[in-house]
Amino acid sequence: MYTKSEIAKKFDHTFLKAFGIKETIDTLCQEARELHTYSVCVNACWVSTCKENLKDSDVKVCSVIGFPLGQCGLETKLFECKYAIEQGADEIDYVIDVGQAKMHNWDYIQKEMDQLTQLCHDHQVKIKVIFENCYLEKDEIKKLSEIAKEVKPDFIKTSTGFGTGGATVEDVKLMKETVGDLVEVKAAGGIRDWNTCQAMLKAGATRIGISASKAVLDEIQ
């Protein structure tokens, strides 16, 4: 289906825990460089460190915004987003306000997605919209995907990895079927082996958020 190097280029090699220290981030970057992953994904305070570590490589730097709860307000998300971009982020993953989605306040969701997507695209930065599917009904996931199809962020994403559940094949299929070729899908949360990873790719994901990148790549023959 894919070569090992092609699979690595679908990985956002991730460390988002609260207890990260510089040594942790340096190791993450070194692993990403050796594995040739697409990016590292880190909290915003580590973006500049990663840019320095990876400056002579093709590994991108991704940062998370409104993470992991999504309920810090749009103005805060815009400020965080600007900060991460100023620090050198190549991509932004932001968490929607899940409460607004549960209340079916779709105008708010679209406004948030519009403004953050516009900000990123104005700076030639890619943006991924995290739904946090474990808290959503299937019709809510579909509605969010329909909004994304209209707004056209670069990706929609299943999960933060900090909720009550992560990516599922069923959700990835639903998201991909809804957005078609206009938006890509990132699967994240609980992907720790090649079988799970392969299932997400077959379901339509084109990017994988993963901390176990080396272990998964080592499984591939």
Side-chain angles (χ1 to χ4, degrees):
M1 183 179 176
Y2 299 106
T3 66
K4 189 180 288 194
S5 61
E6 286 171 339
I7 293 159
K9 278 300 174 197
K10 296 182 181 297
F11 283 1
D12 290 338
H13 189 43
T14 302
F15 186 90
L16 295 167
K17 303 292 187 184
F19 48 81
I21 59 175
K22 187 175 185 300
E23 182 180 356
T24 314
I25 301 304
D26 289 343
T27 299
L28 183 81
C29 291
Q30 184 60 35
E31 289 172 349
R33 182 191 291 271
E34 291 171 358
L35 297 170
H36 301 285
T37 61
Y38 184 86
S39 78
V40 293
C41 189
V42 295
N43 288 298
C45 64
W46 295 115
V47 169
S48 60
T49 301
C50 293
K51 288 298 281 191
E52 179 63 25
N53 279 345
L54 297 165
K55 63 185 177 184
D56 58 348
S57 79
D58 64 350
V59 180
K60 307 290 187 185
V61 178
C62 173
S63 187
V64 292
I65 300 301
F67 195 88
L69 302 179
Q71 292 205 320
C72 55
L74 177 53
E75 290 304 315
T76 302
K77 288 179 186 176
L78 288 166
F79 180 88
E80 280 190 71
C81 191
K82 289 173 187 172
Y83 173 77
I85 291 170
E86 287 167 1
Q87 295 302 300
D90 301 295
E91 297 192 350
I92 296 292
D93 290 22
Y94 89 89
V95 188
I96 67 160
D97 187 323
V98 182
Q100 296 293 338
K102 295 304 296 181
M103 293 187 291
H104 296 180
N105 190 352
W106 304 122
D107 288 343
Y108 181 91
I109 294 292
Q110 183 153 353
K111 176 184 175 183
E112 183 179 71
M113 200 183 299
D114 263 324
Q115 290 194 23
L116 286 160
T117 298
Q118 187 66 52
L119 173 60
C120 287
H121 288 175
D122 284 348
H123 291 85
Q124 291 76 54
V125 167
K126 289 186 177 181
I127 184 167
K128 310 187 198 85
V129 183
I130 307 173
F131 291 0
E132 199 68 297
N133 288 340
C134 59
Y135 302 128
L136 301 169
E137 303 299 328
K138 299 307 179 192
D139 61 331
E140 292 167 339
I141 295 170
K142 184 172 183 179
K143 178 63 177 179
L144 288 166
S145 300
E146 288 170 349
I147 292 170
K149 187 176 181 179
E150 184 175 339
V151 175
K152 296 182 183 62
D154 299 281
F155 287 81
I156 50 177
K157 177 178 168 182
T158 60
S159 325
T160 63
F162 285 72
T164 56
T168 69
V169 168
E170 183 183 8
D171 286 350
V172 170
K173 282 182 178 176
L174 174 59
M175 292 162 77
K176 188 58 186 172
E177 286 169 1
T178 306
V179 295
D181 294 331
L182 294 175
V183 182
E184 296 183 69
V185 176
K186 176 177 173 179
I191 302 171
R192 300 185 185 92
D193 58 69
W194 171 231
N195 283 341
T196 305
C197 180
Q198 189 174 30
M200 298 301 169
L201 294 171
K202 285 181 177 177
T206 51
R207 192 79 65 82
I208 303 291
I210 186 167
S211 56
S213 305
K214 186 178 187 304
V216 169
L217 291 170
D218 283 347
E219 282 189 62
I220 302 167
Q221 301 302 316

